[in-house]
Amino acid sequence: MASEDTIRQLNSARDIVLRDPAIYPQIVPGVLPVIGASQPLGLRRWGADFLAETFASPVVSPEDKEKMCLGVLDTLQGYLNRKEQSGGEEDVNVLKSAIQCFASIYPYVFRYVVTHAEESVKEVWAKVMGMKSGILRRMDSAPAGVRICCIKFVARVVQVQTPGLIADPRKPDQNEVSLALVPREHAILVPSNLEAEASGLLDRLLTVLEDNPADALTVTSTLNALSPLIHRRASISTKILATILSFNPVQTGKDRLNAKSMTRTTISLLNNVLKRIPTHTLALRIQNQIDRLRHLLAESLLDQPNALKRGPDEPIDGLHANKRLQLDAEASGAAAQQRRADGPLPLGPVSFKDLYTLTADPRAAGFHVGILPEQIVAQLVPPLLQNVNSTQFDQALNLLRTRILELQRRPLPSAVDAARVGPGDGIGDEEDEEYDPNVLGIGETDQVNPITSDERQGHLRLEVMKLPAEPPLNENERLEYGEHARQRLFGTLRDLDDELDKKRAGKAGVAERERIGGFGQSMGAGIAGHERESWITLLVRMATRSAFETKEGADDEEEEEDEAAVKRENDDRSLATKTKSGQHSSSSFPDKIRDALQTYIMYDWRRRIDTAIAWLNEEWYTERLSRPASSTTKALPTYTHLTLSTLDQLTPYLDTKDGRYLIRFLSEVPHLPAGIFPRIKKIAEDPERVQLACQALLYLIMLRPPVREAAIQCAREMWRENRDARTGVEKILVRWAPDELKGMKQEAEEGVKGE
């Protein structure tokens, strides 16, 4: 009586937590003393079922399960070892629920042991190993229901003790529990031993399919337990699938009902694998095995001597059998007419209608399409074209070719026959062995003229029809379409950048960045893959090569005049004024692409400096090609403007740690215009960035000989005009212009004395 009252109170507590799962952590510790292994059978059954339900419930958070798992270990151990500890009888229902509960909490206990290094963890793990051994001993000798629960537990152990994927190494608590979480130097867990144990347990599961194929209950539960392992552990999925593919449940045992059940389970498992992993390496074998099992299943069911054969379905339309036979005869007659319609043309004169009719149905052949309104035709044609069967369409084209060739091989009609056939009705043609479009007049004219003098003489010349050209776009439409195309191009680039950022933040890391880092590696790559660098190549070449024209007057300029003009044009203040006023801006599509590229680069210039360099190289190359071969001028106005403009936008963001970016920019652009060095002097006006400018000058002097003299001259001017830069510039001039440095120092000393 007391036990019934206790169970009533426990049921009330269970109803409370079912309504509010958040209070499971308070209820479970409170009921554990009441449902211990020493309690009456009714309480033990209720407790085992309650614990199994709790840790299998999806509404209980993983954090709460991890907090409660250690507290229930002693209770579960008491359930599983009741016979060894107290000599009492074991109850099958209690064992089933206890094993299922232990299978549910095994990953949480495993994570706890991995993440904690206290001395008490050894005791916890020893307790887990003892319970695991007890379950494995029951796997072969326990009742059927207990064996099924043991199989589920073994599959869970294999899943936990096999390496899995680490989604985010920065958040180990959110990753799936697997052997990959165990450090190599763990104090308690030895990864190699755990993996070996998992491999042995997996072999034990697969042995069920090989050694006990007639035990339908065990085989079905094993197949269901293997399904999660195939989807979540790629390292062992091939081994599991190879065993399943060699398993033939149809030919196992004498009980055909069991064979049918195992076969359907196997087919369902393989179908699920194909649905989840359609690109699996064994996909073809899996599909072949599915078809084979279905065929064997159908044959085995037909071979049953006492099987009830299914009769034909009753007519659902209320027609009598005789009436159905008549309808079938009419259908077969229509099919015969259809076949006759697909056959050769009749003898004698042939009209256009006979030539293009592919059906003998009088309702379709006698229907005049001209009676349909144009609005109805416009609505019907698009969906009809979308649903055209390609095979039937090819067959129809081949039939028309055959008919036309047949007409060509026919002899010319006599004068009487020609007079009898009206214009546009008779078709004939001169003899020709092979199909030649030119013979039929295809491509000779731009318009169709169905009635020609040749037709009146007894044969037809078909001509191709071409639609009239679209009217040219006006200026507003051209600008609108160009802007829309530019937005789509850079929208795709933005999507590729987002995908790259996700890969860099995830498992790809440095390796992925190295793989896609070099722009030069993908200059020849195709655009079909939509890789980021290939897409940038497309944008760069659209900006540089879409308007391949030689600028007027560029061939008449000399190099010295160009440098002087560049110095005047690219003065800091005048350049900003001209840019704002739109002197260098253009409404052309290539210039809009250039502006968008410059904005894209400056948005994240440290990571996109390679894009800027590749773009400017293309500008230089294209502008060089645009000059005639006889030209000797080196003027590159577009390239010069874009290079200086990019450096101007880059300069305000350079700090003391960005020297490598400035040096890379100055070293990898193909040509340094004269306006570069005034900008380097401008950078040195900031006392914090003097060292940055000096490093850039030293690099250019040492490794770019064509601009060495200009860089040394810039260093001289910096020494004279900028006192903050003298210390850094002297290190350059001492090596590359020592005599001039002495002279400048003497002049400076004399000037000081004169003052």
Side-chain angles (χ1 to χ4, degrees):
M1 189 65 182
S3 177
E4 295 179 358
D5 294 338
T6 306
I7 291 177
R8 190 179 301 109
Q9 295 175 5
L10 291 175
N11 287 331
S12 300
R14 178 177 177 273
D15 294 338
I16 293 174
V17 294
L18 289 177
R19 289 193 297 268
D20 186 6
I23 63 176
Y24 265 106
Q26 290 80 30
I27 298 297
V28 172
V31 302
L32 288 178
V34 184
I35 60 175
S38 59
Q39 298 296 332
L41 179 60
L43 293 177
R44 282 187 282 118
R45 285 184 176 179
W46 188 95
D49 293 341
F50 176 72
L51 294 179
E53 178 190 67
T54 299
F55 287 96
S57 175
V59 298
V60 183
S61 65
E63 293 78 9
D64 291 341
K65 293 179 181 179
E66 190 169 353
K67 293 177 183 177
M68 297 184 293
C69 66
L70 297 182
V72 302
L73 279 180
D74 293 333
T75 303
L76 295 178
Q77 187 180 30
Y79 291 158
L80 296 174
N81 301 334
R82 174 178 170 80
K83 190 172 183 179
E84 291 80 0
Q85 292 179 357
S86 61
E89 293 295 331
E90 292 181 339
D91 182 69
V92 174
N93 294 328
V94 175
L95 285 178
K96 288 165 56 178
S97 298
I99 294 173
Q100 292 185 68
C101 180
F102 189 48
S104 299
I105 70 172
Y106 187 81
Y108 302 107
V109 178
F110 189 84
R111 186 197 293 273
Y112 176 82
V113 175
V114 170
T115 56
H116 292 76
E118 296 84 358
E119 191 67 22
S120 59
V121 174
K122 294 182 179 180
E123 181 181 353
V124 172
W125 186 244
K127 191 181 303 182
V128 170
M129 294 299 293
M131 298 167 64
K132 185 194 301 183
S133 301
I135 294 174
L136 296 179
R137 285 195 302 268
R138 293 181 173 90
M139 188 171 176
D140 298 325
S141 59
V146 179
R147 291 204 311 272
I148 293 175
C149 297
C150 292
I151 291 172
K152 294 181 180 179
F153 172 75
V154 171
R156 179 59 61 89
V157 173
V158 173
Q159 179 179 338
V160 171
Q161 295 182 192
T162 303
L165 295 178
I166 301 297
D168 191 349
R170 300 169 299 178
K171 299 177 180 180
D173 55 328
Q174 297 183 7
N175 292 319
E176 184 183 8
V177 180
S178 70
L179 192 63
L181 299 179
V182 182
R184 290 295 176 185
E185 305 297 332
H186 197 275
I188 301 174
L189 303 178
V190 181
S192 58
N193 295 344
L194 294 175
E195 190 170 9
E197 181 186 13
S199 179
L201 293 176
L202 177 61
D203 293 338
R204 189 170 179 180
L205 283 178
L206 299 179
T207 304
V208 174
L209 303 180
E210 299 171 353
D211 297 345
N212 302 318
D215 189 352
L217 190 62
T218 306
V219 169
T220 304
S221 59
T222 302
L223 290 173
N224 292 331
L226 291 174
S227 180
L229 296 179
I230 296 173
H231 301 313
R232 299 180 183 178
R233 295 295 179 263
S235 58
I236 59 177
S237 63
T238 304
K239 179 180 179 180
I240 298 173
L241 285 174
T243 304
I244 296 175
L245 291 175
S246 62
F247 172 62
N248 186 3
V250 178
Q251 299 176 357
T252 59
K254 299 181 180 180
D255 191 342
R256 295 188 178 273
L257 181 61
N258 289 341
K260 180 179 178 181
S261 174
M262 290 187 292
T263 304
R264 288 187 171 179
T265 303
T266 307
I267 294 174
S268 177
L269 171 62
L270 295 178
N271 275 326
N272 195 14
V273 172
L274 280 183
K275 181 179 179 181
R276 288 175 173 264
I277 318 174
T279 59
H280 198 280
T281 54
L282 300 176
L284 183 59
R285 287 187 58 190
I286 293 173
Q287 185 60 52
N288 292 337
Q289 179 69 358
I290 292 173
D291 298 338
R292 176 171 168 269
L293 290 177
R294 286 175 175 168
H295 180 68
L296 292 176
L297 181 61
E299 287 185 348
S300 65
L301 294 178
L302 291 176
D303 292 340
Q304 296 182 26
N306 298 325
L308 295 177
K309 294 185 178 180
R310 183 180 180 184
D313 294 335
E314 293 295 332
I316 60 175
D317 52 3
L319 296 178
H320 192 269
N322 295 333
K323 181 63 176 179
R324 185 173 298 280
L325 292 176
Q326 294 176 6
L327 293 178
D328 293 340
E330 292 178 3
S332 61
Q337 291 181 1
Q338 177 68 26
R339 288 192 295 270
R340 289 196 299 271
D342 292 346
L345 292 173
L347 298 176
V350 178
S351 64
F352 279 108
K353 177 181 178 181
D354 295 332
L355 177 64
Y356 290 102
T357 297
L358 301 178
T359 177
D361 186 355
R363 293 174 297 179
F367 181 76
H368 197 291
V369 184
I371 64 176
L372 292 177
E374 295 182 359
Q375 296 81 1
I376 301 298
V377 175
Q379 295 177 1
L380 290 177
V381 170
L384 290 176
L385 292 178
Q386 293 176 359
N387 295 304
V388 169
N389 189 309
S390 59
T391 303
Q392 296 179 358
F393 184 71
D394 294 337
Q395 292 175 354
L397 289 179
N398 293 330
L399 178 61
L400 289 177
R401 291 192 182 100
T402 304
R403 290 179 175 180
I404 293 174
L405 291 175
E406 181 185 351
L407 290 176
Q408 292 175 353
R409 287 190 291 267
R410 290 186 180 183
L412 293 176
S414 62
V416 177
D417 295 334
R420 187 181 302 153
V421 179
D425 294 333
I427 300 177
D429 207 342
E430 58 186 4
E431 183 177 356
D432 192 357
E433 292 290 333
E434 297 180 356
Y435 170 70
D436 187 359
N438 294 327
V439 173
L440 300 179
I442 297 177
E444 295 182 2
T445 59
D446 292 339
Q447 295 180 353
V448 173
N449 185 11
I451 303 177
T452 63
S453 60
D454 293 336
E455 292 179 40
R456 298 187 179 93
Q457 295 175 2
H459 63 278
L460 172 69
R461 298 182 62 84
L462 302 178
E463 299 178 358
V464 69
M465 175 181 178
K466 293 185 178 180
L467 295 175
E470 292 288 337
L473 299 176
N474 57 37
E475 185 66 18
N476 293 333
E477 291 176 340
R478 186 178 64 84
L479 294 177
E480 180 182 354
Y481 294 154
E483 179 64 20
H484 181 62
R486 184 183 67 83
Q487 292 177 0
R488 291 184 60 187
L489 288 169
F490 281 89
T492 302
L493 181 58
R494 183 167 55 253
D495 295 339
L496 293 173
D497 283 336
D498 294 341
E499 181 180 355
L500 178 61
D501 292 338
K502 293 179 181 178
K503 289 182 179 179
R504 284 172 173 167
K507 61 181 180 181
V510 178
E512 182 71 15
R513 185 172 182 178
E514 291 176 354
R515 181 182 73 82
I516 60 177
F519 186 87
Q521 299 175 0
S522 63
M523 290 295 286
I527 308 301
H530 275 214
E531 293 185 358
R532 174 181 175 274
E533 302 302 340
S534 300
W535 197 255
I536 289 177
T537 304
L538 172 66
L539 290 172
V540 166
R541 292 184 177 175
M542 289 182 67
T544 57
R545 303 188 186 185
S546 58
F548 197 79
E549 298 177 355
T550 303
K551 294 195 174 183
E552 183 179 359
D555 298 338
D556 300 328
E557 298 178 1
E558 298 296 335
E559 180 180 3
E560 294 79 11
E561 296 176 357
D562 173 62
E563 293 181 356
V566 168
K567 288 182 180 180
R568 294 191 301 269
E569 179 186 1
N570 294 286
D571 183 72
D572 295 333
R573 185 179 305 173
S574 62
L575 179 63
T577 304
K578 292 176 182 179
T579 303
K580 292 180 180 179
S581 62
Q583 179 174 342
H584 298 290
S585 62
S586 174
S587 60
S588 66
F589 183 73
D591 287 337
K592 289 187 177 182
I593 295 290
R594 289 186 177 103
D595 295 340
L597 269 174
Q598 203 165 51
T599 304
Y600 168 78
I601 292 167
M602 294 309 302
Y603 185 79
D604 191 0
W605 60 271
R606 288 183 177 88
R607 289 170 57 182
R608 299 171 182 172
I609 192 72
D610 56 341
T611 304
I613 294 169
W615 169 39
L616 294 176
N617 275 273
E618 283 284 334
E619 291 285 358
W620 175 84
Y621 177 74
T622 304
E623 201 162 10
R624 286 288 300 272
L625 291 180
S626 65
R627 297 200 312 268
S630 58
S631 175
T632 59
T633 179
K634 297 182 180 180
L636 304 170
T638 303
Y639 166 79
T640 300
H641 164 66
L642 293 174
T643 303
L644 297 179
S645 175
T646 303
L647 183 59
D648 285 336
Q649 296 189 38
L650 189 66
T651 298
Y653 301 102
L654 293 171
D655 57 25
T656 56
K657 298 180 181 180
D658 293 330
R660 65 182 184 275
Y661 298 106
L662 178 61
I663 291 175
R664 182 181 179 186
F665 180 83
L666 297 177
S667 63
E668 296 190 19
V669 293
H671 170 67
L672 290 179
I676 287 287
F677 296 101
R679 285 158 175 79
I680 296 178
K681 290 167 55 179
K682 186 74 174 179
I683 294 174
E685 292 178 0
D686 184 357
E688 295 182 355
R689 298 192 295 178
V690 168
Q691 189 64 23
L692 183 69
C694 294
Q695 290 176 353
L697 286 177
L698 180 60
Y699 182 90
L700 296 177
I701 292 171
M702 294 178 63
L703 299 177
R704 292 202 72 160
V707 296
R708 180 176 295 167
E709 292 301 326
I712 294 175
Q713 179 61 30
C714 180
R716 297 191 194 102
E717 295 175 0
M718 287 173 59
W719 194 92
R720 292 191 182 97
E721 301 171 4
N722 191 346
R723 293 182 177 273
D724 295 331
R726 286 187 176 182
T727 303
V729 171
E730 281 184 5
K731 298 178 181 179
I732 300 175
L733 296 178
V734 163
R735 179 179 178 183
W736 300 96
D739 297 335
E740 298 180 7
L741 178 62
K742 292 180 181 179
M744 290 188 297
K745 286 185 176 180
Q746 291 178 0
E747 292 178 1
E749 292 176 356
E750 292 175 359
V752 171
K753 291 180 180 179
E755 293 177 359

